[in-house]
Amino acid sequence: MKFDPSFDSGVLIKRYKRFLTDIRLENGDTVTIHCPNTGSMRNCLFEGEKVWFSVSDNPKRKYSRTWELAQTAAGHFIGINTGRANALAEEAINNGVISELQGYQSLRREVKYGSENSRIDILLEDSDKPNCYIEVKSCTLLEQDQGYFPDAVTTRGQKHLRELMEMVEQGYRAVLLFVVQHTGIKSVKAAAHIDEDYAKLLVEAHKKGVEIIAYSAELSPLEASLVKSCPVRL
């Protein structure tokens, strides 16, 4: 996806109250921008380093700027806006990038499913094969050359794994897709040191037939796209 207009840049001062971030613009002004990430953002907050943001012309918004990318001292880009993960996944499926998810007639987003009142991120349907339920997770945590998910305890993520296992039991196809939004991550692993229950459920889900795949994003202030498969270590 191309960003039109491309993102503007500033320097990170601090993130606070989850949804707010102060940055310093290139002209020296300090402004507050919206942070569209409810997670811990562990290893994504580099005070004094460059950040990139989009600007909305919606007059109803209190904060017109939205934090989109962080840039590390090593030059890696990190996708801060987790809301873009589903759009990246949909685009990659439609463009044939994700080979494991081809051959379906239709794609729908945010469809109700499961016994725990969830909405699946992407549902692929075809008259000749079982439905394919795809849960999308944004992976941004890099520690000691290893990518991890989650970056905080996630009861919601645990629920989604149970829902996917339920779909397999009902005869459908279920896929957990990690969208890797950190250009320094080369492989993905469950963060057992952060959420042991999630790590155990991920192994159980895999054993019960849930497919677990990951695709890496190419990120820049101009555009973003999923470009290649990324190994998942179970």
Side-chain angles (χ1 to χ4, degrees):
M1 63 178 70
K2 292 187 179 296
F3 304 127
D4 187 18
S6 59
F7 299 151
D8 293 325
S9 66
V11 173
L12 177 64
I13 298 175
K14 63 177 179 179
R15 177 214 188 194
Y16 56 101
K17 296 182 179 179
R18 294 179 73 188
F19 298 106
L20 301 178
T21 303
D22 287 346
I23 66 170
R24 186 173 64 255
L25 301 178
E26 293 181 353
N27 64 7
D29 291 346
T30 296
V31 297
T32 300
I33 67 176
H34 172 62
C35 178
N37 190 316
T38 60
S40 73
M41 294 179 63
R42 182 164 167 164
N43 282 6
C44 295
L45 299 169
F46 305 102
E47 295 181 3
E49 297 295 341
K50 183 172 283 191
V51 298
W52 300 84
F53 59 89
S54 58
V55 181
S56 171
D57 58 4
N58 184 349
K60 295 182 179 180
R61 286 189 50 164
K62 184 176 181 179
Y63 302 101
S64 62
R65 300 174 178 90
T66 298
W67 188 3
E68 298 284 355
L69 298 172
Q71 190 169 0
T72 72
H76 295 303
F77 285 108
I78 305 172
I80 300 301
N81 190 344
T82 56
R84 293 193 182 275
N86 287 2
L88 286 169
E90 179 179 0
E91 179 184 73
I93 293 169
N94 289 336
N95 290 344
V97 174
I98 305 180
S99 59
E100 297 93 335
L101 301 177
Q102 299 305 299
Y104 290 85
Q105 295 172 340
S106 66
L107 181 154
R108 291 194 288 156
R109 297 262 299 266
E110 297 294 324
V111 180
K112 287 185 177 181
Y113 84 116
S115 60
E116 297 186 51
N117 195 30
S118 297
R119 287 181 179 272
I120 195 67
D121 290 320
I122 295 175
L123 175 62
L124 300 180
E125 298 171 292
D126 191 283
S127 58
D128 294 330
K129 54 177 71 98
N131 291 349
C132 180
Y133 291 81
I134 305 165
E135 187 66 38
V136 178
K137 298 297 183 188
S138 178
C139 177
T140 59
L141 176 58
L142 178 62
E143 292 184 348
Q144 298 179 344
D145 297 324
Q146 177 63 57
Y148 289 102
F149 183 89
D151 64 1
V153 174
T154 173
T155 55
R156 186 168 179 266
Q158 294 170 25
K159 180 181 78 165
H160 291 156
L161 287 176
R162 293 193 297 269
E163 298 279 37
L164 291 176
M165 285 188 276
E166 182 182 328
M167 293 301 100
V168 172
E169 291 172 359
Q170 294 179 12
Y172 300 113
R173 187 181 177 197
V175 178
L176 178 64
L177 169 61
F178 290 114
V179 170
V180 181
Q181 292 201 82
H182 190 311
T183 57
I185 291 177
K186 305 305 180 187
S187 66
V188 177
K189 187 177 181 180
H193 61 298
I194 295 174
D195 190 341
E196 185 177 3
D197 290 337
Y198 184 89
K200 289 178 179 177
L201 269 177
L202 188 66
V203 173
E204 180 184 350
H206 177 66
K207 289 179 178 178
K208 291 191 174 180
V210 175
E211 300 168 51
I212 303 170
I213 60 176
Y215 272 75
S216 298
E218 197 169 80
L219 303 169
S220 82
L222 301 175
E223 59 185 326
S225 60
L226 296 187
V227 293
K228 62 181 179 180
S229 177
C230 180
V232 179
R233 299 175 58 195
L234 295 172

